[in-house]
Amino acid sequence: MSSGSKIAVIGCGYVGLVTGICFAELGNQVTCIDIDKDKVAALSKGTLPIYEAGLQEILKRNLINRQLSFTSDYSKTVKESEVIFVAVGTPSSPIKGADLSQVEEAIEDVLLLDFDDEKIVAMKSTVPVGTGERFTNLFKRKRRNLSYVSNPEFLREGSAVDDFLNPHRIVIGSVNPGASQRVANLHQPFQAPIIFTSTSSAEMIKYASNAFLATKISFINEIANLCDHVDADVKVVAEGMSLDPRIGPHFLGAGIGYGGFCFPKDILALKQLAGNSGYHFQLLSAVIEVNEMQKTLVIRKLKKYLGDLEDKVIAVLGLSFKPGTDDVRQSVAIDLIHLLQFEGADVKAFDPLAVSNAKRILKDVEFSKDAYDAATKADALVIATEDPAHQELDWTKIVGLMQTPLIIDGRNLLSGEQMPENVTLEQIGRPPRISDQVSWLQKKQVLEKYNSKINERANDQIDADFSR
Ligand code: UGA
């Protein structure tokens, strides 16, 4: 089975769509299944429910050449397929770590069908370690001609098509070497190293990879926080570290924390799995805690200059959990806006892709048509996503539009040199550039605080005199 295999993909979410559409591009006959009939109808006409760079063109091409189709007809599609990829959601569950109800349902539906030929269930969804072994035993108990293969995905949103077509590794876990080889054959065009292993090790590779990347982020964020205290520059520190090949340059971008549908839930699930197995994974607790604290950093930095944030107008650039996607699930930018609103601030926000998704979860936010519109009359502007497009903005114009020239660059994107003279620029783990105008504002805050303390003391004294 090198190409031209009959493949079913259960779940037309982000992973299922990228998997199905890209396997069609490689010459396989792919049918993607989803219970949402509207979604299936839209996809059949070439309309994607998500934004993912490059996916739209491949979808259209493969619909036209009939390599790809979408359906809600489970039984016909599964019966006609040799390999059934499961790519449904596994959201967080407080007790089990991951909610497997959608995965269980997909497997139960396959088991309800009658077929004689050997089929493979290949798991793309991120499932807790041990799940594959459980399903392998279930298939055996039911005496079904079904083999289970764990085949985790390592796709990043925003570059998922490129990641799928140019993988760094393929991980295949199964007790059945024949089934493993058949799934490996589907990946032959890639010439990437293939790891053949047990289902549990394959599942652990996925969790350990995400947890390690998140650990790198929390580590560099702690270094950044320390840099803030000792006047060092985390960007230079990360660059210096990254030249050591044992460390490498990736995921050393300090900022206001990681978000997204994968890292937060997978790291929690791994911690939960450890706890359920009787092991306390100390490092992961710290990684999560550091990430939560990092989100509050912007508030502290704003208060340093503006004092109370009540009725202050704060512009936020970026709403998605990272640039190049419209996905706002577990986005740090969204958490930040909630924190700002809790402090009483008025929020204006701009994002090139994610506004319609953000509108579903945010209330009382003014959505701006561009960064300039957001900056107009703002008391401060916060950069929340590491979008390189922010670097190309006309910062002199932006600053000219603002009430107070205060910029909190939560992703260390800007350089002091590109900023006009009068700007105060606060970054993460980098020495701030404080302009006269804002330092005056800061002094005013200190003075006001000092005066109110004096008044408080005077009032206390008067109360004490009266009560004597
Ligand atoms: C992540 C992994 O990178 C993929 O390999 C994996 O397949 C995927 O999860 C998944 O499990 O499905 P993704 O969630 O798309 O991919 O996003 P990343 O590019 O990894 O970024 C995650 C978060 O980390 C973002 O909020 C980003 O802003 C943050 N980040 C990333 C930093 O704060 N600093 C960095 O240096 C890099």
Side-chain angles (χ1 to χ4, degrees), residues 14-15 126 153-157 206 210 213 217 221 250-255 257-263 266 321-322 332 386 411:
Y14 146 80
V15 172
T126 303
E153 54 86 19
F154 302 100
L155 310 172
R156 290 164 301 167
E157 289 191 33
K206 168 70 188 186
N210 275 3
L213 292 171
I217 298 172
N221 281 339
H250 305 291
F251 279 67
L252 289 180
Y258 62 76
F261 188 60
C262 301
F263 280 5
D266 291 352
F321 84 94
K322 68 183 228 185
V332 177
E386 59 270 46
R411 298 293 179 180

Side-chain angles (χ1 to χ4, degrees), residues 238-249:
E239 195 189 331
M241 287 165 67
S242 71
L243 294 173
D244 183 332
R246 292 171 303 173
I247 298 174

Side-chain angles (χ1 to χ4, degrees), residues 443-453:
K443 276 184 205 138
K444 191 169 149 254
Q445 295 296 339
V446 173
L447 207 68
E448 274 172 12
K449 230 184 203 166
Y450 180 72
N451 283 342
S452 76
K453 277 265 175 289

Side-chain angles (χ1 to χ4, degrees), residues 355-372:
V355 168
S356 58
N357 283 340
K359 276 184 179 165
R360 291 193 206 124
I361 32 180
L362 289 173
K363 287 200 171 64
D364 301 324
V365 169
E366 187 184 321
F367 292 98
S368 309
K369 66 175 193 307
D370 57 28
Y372 305 100

Side-chain angles (χ1 to χ4, degrees), residues 162-430:
D162 192 47
D163 287 346
F164 191 95
L165 298 174
N166 300 289
H168 294 292
R169 81 290 211 189
I170 307 295
V171 174
I172 295 175
S174 181
V175 289
N176 181 339
S180 292
Q181 193 52 55
R182 286 173 68 193
V183 173
N185 291 345
L186 288 175
H187 295 86
Q188 227 167 32
F190 303 136
Q191 290 173 355
I194 299 183
I195 312 251
F196 291 102
T197 183
S198 65
T199 52
S200 291
S201 296
E203 289 159 348
M204 186 58 102
I205 289 171
K206 168 70 188 186
Y207 276 107
S209 300
N210 275 3
F212 185 70
L213 292 171
T215 304
K216 276 186 103 173
I217 298 172
S218 279
F219 179 83
I220 201 68
N221 281 339
E222 289 236 87
I223 294 289
N225 296 344
L226 190 54
C227 283
D228 265 344
H229 282 89
V230 296
D231 226 17
D233 184 339
V234 74
K235 256 198 142 162
V236 184
V237 173
E239 195 189 331
M241 287 165 67
S242 71
L243 294 173
D244 183 332
R246 292 171 303 173
I247 298 174
H250 305 291
F251 279 67
L252 289 180
I256 52 176
Y258 62 76
F261 188 60
C262 301
F263 280 5
K265 90 170 160 67
D266 291 352
I267 281 97
L268 263 179
L270 186 58
K271 188 180 164 222
Q272 196 74 39
L273 177 90
N276 292 348
S277 318
Y279 180 70
H280 176 48
F281 203 143
Q282 291 187 58
L283 190 56
L284 281 189
S285 303
V287 168
I288 295 166
E289 202 179 311
V290 169
N291 199 53
E292 287 309 306
M293 286 303 292
Q294 210 64 13
K295 295 178 189 172
T296 64
L297 205 57
V298 169
I299 304 291
R300 279 178 275 145
K301 286 189 185 269
L302 284 169
K303 281 187 169 176
K304 184 168 140 190
Y305 298 99
L306 301 174
D308 194 347
L309 298 183
E310 185 88 40
D311 295 332
K312 297 282 185 327
V313 178
I314 312 295
V316 176
L317 296 193
L319 290 163
S320 55
F321 84 94
K322 68 183 228 185
T325 174
D326 60 353
D327 195 344
V328 294
R329 291 175 296 176
Q330 308 288 317
S331 163
V332 177
I334 303 284
D335 288 348
L336 171 66
I337 290 174
H338 284 138
L339 287 173
L340 286 167
Q341 290 181 325
F342 182 75
E343 294 287 336
D346 294 329
V347 178
K348 295 171 85 181
F350 168 70
D351 189 290
L353 296 169
V355 168
S356 58
N357 283 340
K359 276 184 179 165
R360 291 193 206 124
I361 32 180
L362 289 173
K363 287 200 171 64
D364 301 324
V365 169
E366 187 184 321
F367 292 98
S368 309
K369 66 175 193 307
D370 57 28
Y372 305 100
D373 186 19
T376 304
K377 296 212 163 42
D379 291 294
L381 180 145
V382 180
I383 295 182
T385 52
E386 59 270 46
D387 189 343
H390 299 323
Q391 287 167 323
E392 309 306 323
L393 293 167
D394 179 346
W395 284 98
T396 308
K397 182 174 167 189
I398 288 202
V399 170
L401 293 165
M402 292 174 72
Q403 183 78 30
T404 322
L406 172 60
I407 291 164
I408 313 289
D409 175 6
R411 298 293 179 180
N412 288 348
L413 273 177
L414 306 177
S415 69
E417 293 91 69
Q418 74 187 116
M419 291 289 122
E421 276 289 294
N422 61 335
V423 162
T424 287
L425 175 65
E426 268 276 350
Q427 296 182 294
I428 311 296
R430 310 191 76 192

